[in-house]
């Protein structure tokens, strides 16, 4: 992916120079050792409050200054460029397909732990979008987790993470998250999980639209990049994550979709480029 030396976004809130002040605690489980557990529960989710303790105050923060490494700075620049690309792409898609103006999200970079309007954010919660403050929360250490633990390496795979979370922002802008949250509060846990799967698959489809636009109109996609994104989608399917954790896949517990579903909906967005084709709520064929 060609990203170095390109324009970054102004909608970055960098909290990394203020560290987390020790191991973050989320729902009574703290530190990097909990990452796999939480990945299974809600990889790339939209509402970490379900995993937090009473009051949703999962992460602890302090004012301890943190020195950013050269790798930290490079990762921050990378995320900023990817975010700028999403802004350019979705501004054009909203204008051309909806006749509307796109309002970009803010992306919060942090180390170890921070606060969000949805509760605590930490390395254990993974990247997520909080609809209450319209912000994406990301500790770039998660990119290392993707490479070392999930078998999803490459800069375009990391960019897919950002694009997926922005996909949730698109859903929020279109009123989809608000309506689905309202319905989920009125149904059983299994039904709520099924709705969550449709939310996540739609965000995968929207990230496919991003990838298509980046390839066709921005000229930033290199050979092998799209394969990295598809592989990332496959590696984070609920069935694959549960198998890798030594569990038997339990479809009634799925909240994000199978590997086949996630990669297929990414490809639908990639091949179509149309928002109307990302309607995961209007089909029985997921």
């Amino acid at each position: 992916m060609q990203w170095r030396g390109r324009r970054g976004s102004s909608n970055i809130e960098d909290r990394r120079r203020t560290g987390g002040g020790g191991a973050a605690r989320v729902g009574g489980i703290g530190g990097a050792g909990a990452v796999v557990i939480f990945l299974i529960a809600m990889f790339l989710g939209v509402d970490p409050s379900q995993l937090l303790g009473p009051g949703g105050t999962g992460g602890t923060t302090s004012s301890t200054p943190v020195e950013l490494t050269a790798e930290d700075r490079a990762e921050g620049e990378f995320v900023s460029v990817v975010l700028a690309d999403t802004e350019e792409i979705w501004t054009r898609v909203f204008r051309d397909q909806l006749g509307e103006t796109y309002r970009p999200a803010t992306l919060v970079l942090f180390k170890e732990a921070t606060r969000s309007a949805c509760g605590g954010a930490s390395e254990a919660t993974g990247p997520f979008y909080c609809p209450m403050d319209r912000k994406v929360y990301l500790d770039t250490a998660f990119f290392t987790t993707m490479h070392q633990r999930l078998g999803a390496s490459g800069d375009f795979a990391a960019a897919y993470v950002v694009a997926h979370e922005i996909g949730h922002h698109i859903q929020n802008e279109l009123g989809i998250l608000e309506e689905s949250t309202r319905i989920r509060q009125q149904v059983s846990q299994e039904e709520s999980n099924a709705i969550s799967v449709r939310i996540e698959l739609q965000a995968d489809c929207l990230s496919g639209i991003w990838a298509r636009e980046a390839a066709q109109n921005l000229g930033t996609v290199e050979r092998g990049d799209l394969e990295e994104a598809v592989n990332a989608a496959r590696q984070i399917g609920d069935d694959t994550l549960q198998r890798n954790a030594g569990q038997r896949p339990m479809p009634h517990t799925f909240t994000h979709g199978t590997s086949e579903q996630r990669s297929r909906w990414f490809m639908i967005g990639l091949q179509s480029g149309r928002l109307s084709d990302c309607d995961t709520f209007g089909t029985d064929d997921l």
Side-chain angles (χ1 to χ4, degrees), residues 35 61 159-160 253:
V35 171
T61 60
Y160 157 77
T253 68

PDB file of all heavy atoms in Angstrom, residues 35 61 159-160 253:
ATOM      1  N   VAL A  35      -6.283 -10.516  25.532  1.00  0.00           N
ATOM      2  CA  VAL A  35      -6.600 -10.084  24.168  1.00  0.00           C
ATOM      3  C   VAL A  35      -7.388 -11.131  23.402  1.00  0.00           C
ATOM      4  O   VAL A  35      -8.420 -10.833  22.801  1.00  0.00           O
ATOM      5  CB  VAL A  35      -5.302  -9.729  23.400  1.00  0.00           C
ATOM      6  CG1 VAL A  35      -5.607  -9.499  21.933  1.00  0.00           C
ATOM      7  CG2 VAL A  35      -4.676  -8.478  23.999  1.00  0.00           C
ATOM      8  N   THR A  61      -6.455   5.269  33.408  1.00  0.00           N
ATOM      9  CA  THR A  61      -5.516   6.147  32.737  1.00  0.00           C
ATOM     10  C   THR A  61      -4.735   6.947  33.767  1.00  0.00           C
ATOM     11  O   THR A  61      -5.160   7.122  34.907  1.00  0.00           O
ATOM     12  CB  THR A  61      -6.234   7.126  31.795  1.00  0.00           C
ATOM     13  OG1 THR A  61      -7.144   7.928  32.558  1.00  0.00           O
ATOM     14  CG2 THR A  61      -7.018   6.386  30.731  1.00  0.00           C
ATOM     15  N   ALA A 159      -5.002  -1.419   7.393  1.00  0.00           N
ATOM     16  CA  ALA A 159      -5.889  -0.376   6.872  1.00  0.00           C
ATOM     17  C   ALA A 159      -7.335  -0.850   6.866  1.00  0.00           C
ATOM     18  O   ALA A 159      -8.271  -0.071   7.101  1.00  0.00           O
ATOM     19  CB  ALA A 159      -5.451   0.015   5.463  1.00  0.00           C
ATOM     20  N   TYR A 160      -7.536  -2.138   6.597  1.00  0.00           N
ATOM     21  CA  TYR A 160      -8.879  -2.727   6.634  1.00  0.00           C
ATOM     22  C   TYR A 160      -9.522  -2.566   8.009  1.00  0.00           C
ATOM     23  O   TYR A 160     -10.730  -2.339   8.125  1.00  0.00           O
ATOM     24  CB  TYR A 160      -8.796  -4.199   6.239  1.00  0.00           C
ATOM     25  CG  TYR A 160      -9.930  -5.063   6.723  1.00  0.00           C
ATOM     26  CD1 TYR A 160     -11.177  -5.033   6.101  1.00  0.00           C
ATOM     27  CD2 TYR A 160      -9.757  -5.919   7.804  1.00  0.00           C
ATOM     28  CE1 TYR A 160     -12.226  -5.839   6.552  1.00  0.00           C
ATOM     29  CE2 TYR A 160     -10.783  -6.727   8.253  1.00  0.00           C
ATOM     30  CZ  TYR A 160     -12.015  -6.682   7.629  1.00  0.00           C
ATOM     31  OH  TYR A 160     -13.041  -7.471   8.083  1.00  0.00           O
ATOM     32  N   THR A 253     -23.611 -18.272  19.324  1.00  0.00           N
ATOM     33  CA  THR A 253     -22.849 -17.249  20.039  1.00  0.00           C
ATOM     34  C   THR A 253     -22.155 -16.278  19.090  1.00  0.00           C
ATOM     35  O   THR A 253     -21.552 -15.297  19.544  1.00  0.00           O
ATOM     36  CB  THR A 253     -21.783 -17.892  20.943  1.00  0.00           C
ATOM     37  OG1 THR A 253     -20.767 -18.518  20.123  1.00  0.00           O
ATOM     38  CG2 THR A 253     -22.404 -18.926  21.869  1.00  0.00           C
TER      39      THR A 253
END
